[in-house]
Amino acid sequence: MSAATDKTPPRIQPIPRQRFGFLRRTYAMLVKELIQLRRDRLTFAMIIVIPVMQLCLFGYAINTTPRHLPTAVLLQEDSDLGRSILKALENTAYFQFVHQVQSVDEFDALLLSGKVLFGVEIPRGFERAVRRGDKPALLVAADATDPVAAGSALSALGAIVQSALEHDRVAGDPGNPPFEIRAHARYNPAASSRLNIVPGLVGTILTMTMLIFTALSVTREIERGTMENLLAMPITPVEVMLGKILPYVGVGFIQASLIIGIGVLLFGVPLRGSLPLLALLSTLFITTNLAIGYTFSTLVQNQLQAMQASMMFFLPSILLSGFMFPFAGMPRWAQYIGECLPLTHYLRIVRAIMLKGSTLENLRYDTLALAALMLVAMTIAVTRFRRTLD
């Protein structure tokens, strides 16, 4: 046997394992993630802002027993008993008289437009009928499209009769009151929660999907590396925005039609108003949300941040719009924030058209508010995208 064959390959010495190597490597990975989190300011803000926002909204803005609800009064006679009744209604803290109307038509128009939630009618000759023992009726009409907001106030009417008679010399006892209060819950007499929730789901689902679709539009171009090709094309920022928004208008319209159709056919939600008007205003609402989502896509750098920005907008929208909690029960500052959200106005529109049969004249304020929000969002989006081009 030769010397060459006697040689054996040298043994590879194993690398000695460092003491506490597992902990060192884990610690290094931990430091890396903390540095990356610190650089991602939007994600870090989400960690802080969302819990604080939820705590503040639920602690200060949300109230399931709303008070001081806007009320109209049709006072067909000016009498001491009539004033006592109105004062007793105000003392319950549920009713706040904001309009005094002169006719039944004006009375009905305020309820249709949603400017008031209640209407009180004291008929002519009411006090004389009470003193003669005819037991007349006092009418309280309620907008019951939101059963939670109307329910507590209607339940407080039982104590009104005796409290209104404390300072009036009118015969009567608790078992036989000299007049009665007829509460008429309009638009949703059975106080069915489905009639309130199903129309609201149209706006809620559209808000979530439309924001996410367009918030990802520009950031997707950046991450795929196709933004440079888009910027090299002879196209204006307005054309880019419209080209990205218009396809999703059709998607949103299909979603709205599907939800409304299911609500009408399966859940028995009425459609008392104009279907073309509902379609037109739904398209306006869809476009508004798409413009807001497009604005988010011009403010962030990647798709994760776009999703986070959309959720930060969606959270106050669902809490302060009147979908989950009565809008009238929120404090004034929360209502001001809610008025700046497209979902607030669309919920009023879709519920008014489907449950009340309201017309465009009744919905003029909310329609103009949606249009204004859409124009503001589009202006910001085009301005931001033009800066990207520069």
Side-chain angles (χ1 to χ4, degrees):
M1 184 178 295
S2 65
T5 57
D6 291 336
K7 293 182 179 180
T8 59
R11 293 184 61 185
I12 300 176
Q13 297 295 328
I15 300 175
R17 300 187 64 180
Q18 296 181 356
R19 192 177 183 184
F20 304 114
F22 172 78
L23 294 178
R24 291 177 181 177
R25 291 189 295 270
T26 304
Y27 176 74
M29 196 65 194
L30 172 64
V31 172
K32 171 189 172 298
E33 286 300 315
L34 289 176
I35 294 174
Q36 186 173 348
L37 179 62
R38 186 182 62 181
R39 292 175 178 174
D40 191 351
R41 296 181 179 180
L42 184 58
T43 302
F44 188 75
M46 289 275 291
I47 297 173
I48 304 299
V49 171
I50 286 186
V52 174
M53 181 187 298
Q54 286 182 320
L55 182 62
C56 291
L57 291 181
F58 279 97
Y60 292 107
I62 304 306
N63 182 13
T64 57
T65 56
R67 303 295 183 94
H68 307 292
L69 302 173
T71 307
V73 57
L74 176 57
L75 191 60
Q76 297 185 356
E77 71 168 17
D78 189 10
S79 62
D80 292 338
L81 181 57
R83 288 190 293 270
S84 297
I85 292 172
L86 297 181
K87 188 63 177 178
L89 287 170
E90 283 188 325
N91 288 340
T92 63
Y94 287 108
F95 305 93
Q96 181 178 359
F97 296 106
V98 295
H99 293 281
Q100 183 168 349
V101 300
Q102 305 299 325
S103 65
V104 177
D105 292 338
E106 189 178 356
F107 184 89
D108 294 337
L110 287 173
L111 284 172
L112 272 176
S113 62
K115 294 180 180 179
V116 297
L117 295 181
F118 296 91
V120 179
E121 180 182 357
I122 299 179
R124 187 174 287 106
F126 180 78
E127 183 172 6
R128 184 192 307 173
V130 168
R131 297 187 183 279
R132 283 173 16 191
D134 293 340
K135 201 171 183 178
L138 175 74
L139 173 64
V140 177
D143 180 354
T145 53
D146 189 347
V148 176
S152 300
L154 290 178
S155 63
L157 292 176
I160 297 299
V161 177
Q162 291 302 319
S163 60
L165 302 177
E166 288 179 355
H167 303 289
D168 291 272
R169 297 180 180 179
V170 179
D173 57 77
N176 185 27
F179 68 92
E180 62 176 333
I181 297 179
R182 293 180 183 172
H184 183 198
R186 296 188 180 182
Y187 318 124
N188 187 8
S192 174
S193 59
R194 290 182 300 178
L195 301 188
N196 175 262
I197 293 176
V198 174
L201 281 175
V202 181
T204 305
I205 294 174
L206 287 176
T207 298
M208 180 175 60
T209 56
M210 295 299 102
L211 282 176
I212 293 175
F213 284 161
T214 48
L216 301 177
S217 60
V218 174
T219 54
R220 187 185 299 115
E221 300 278 358
I222 296 175
E223 291 189 353
R224 291 178 178 176
T226 57
M227 177 59 73
E228 291 77 7
N229 297 333
L230 186 62
L231 298 179
M233 296 174 61
I235 190 170
T236 65
V238 175
E239 293 168 345
V240 173
M241 181 181 64
L242 293 178
K244 285 186 170 295
I245 284 178
L246 289 178
Y248 296 113
V249 174
V251 174
F253 195 80
I254 293 173
Q255 283 187 330
S257 302
L258 183 64
I259 300 169
I260 293 174
I262 293 176
V264 173
L265 296 177
L266 296 185
F267 297 103
V269 180
L271 182 56
R272 298 190 175 100
S274 170
L275 184 58
L277 177 62
L278 179 59
L280 177 64
L281 297 183
S282 297
T283 304
L284 175 62
F285 173 69
I286 292 169
T287 308
T288 303
N289 279 294
L290 291 173
I292 294 174
Y294 190 85
T295 302
F296 289 157
S297 70
T298 62
L299 296 173
V300 298
Q301 285 77 38
N302 53 61
Q303 296 188 56
L304 176 60
Q305 291 182 354
M307 290 285 293
Q308 293 171 340
S310 300
M311 294 309 299
M312 288 186 67
F313 183 82
F314 181 70
L315 178 61
S317 293
I318 197 173
L319 293 178
L320 299 181
S321 62
F323 172 69
M324 295 183 63
F325 307 98
F327 186 83
M330 300 176 188
R332 188 66 60 184
W333 63 267
Q335 293 184 13
Y336 287 148
I337 297 176
E339 293 290 342
C340 299
L341 302 172
L343 183 58
T344 302
H345 303 285
Y346 184 70
L347 289 183
R348 297 172 185 167
I349 289 173
V350 68
R351 287 170 177 168
I353 293 178
M354 295 187 69
L355 303 181
K356 302 180 183 179
S358 300
T359 63
L360 183 60
E361 178 65 25
N362 304 130
L363 303 171
R364 180 172 51 187
Y365 165 73
D366 293 301
T367 303
L368 292 176
L370 271 182
L373 291 173
M374 180 189 67
L375 292 176
V376 170
M378 284 188 170
T379 302
I380 297 174
V382 171
T383 304
R384 288 288 310 175
F385 191 73
R386 185 177 287 114
R387 291 180 183 176
T388 304
L389 292 176
D390 296 336

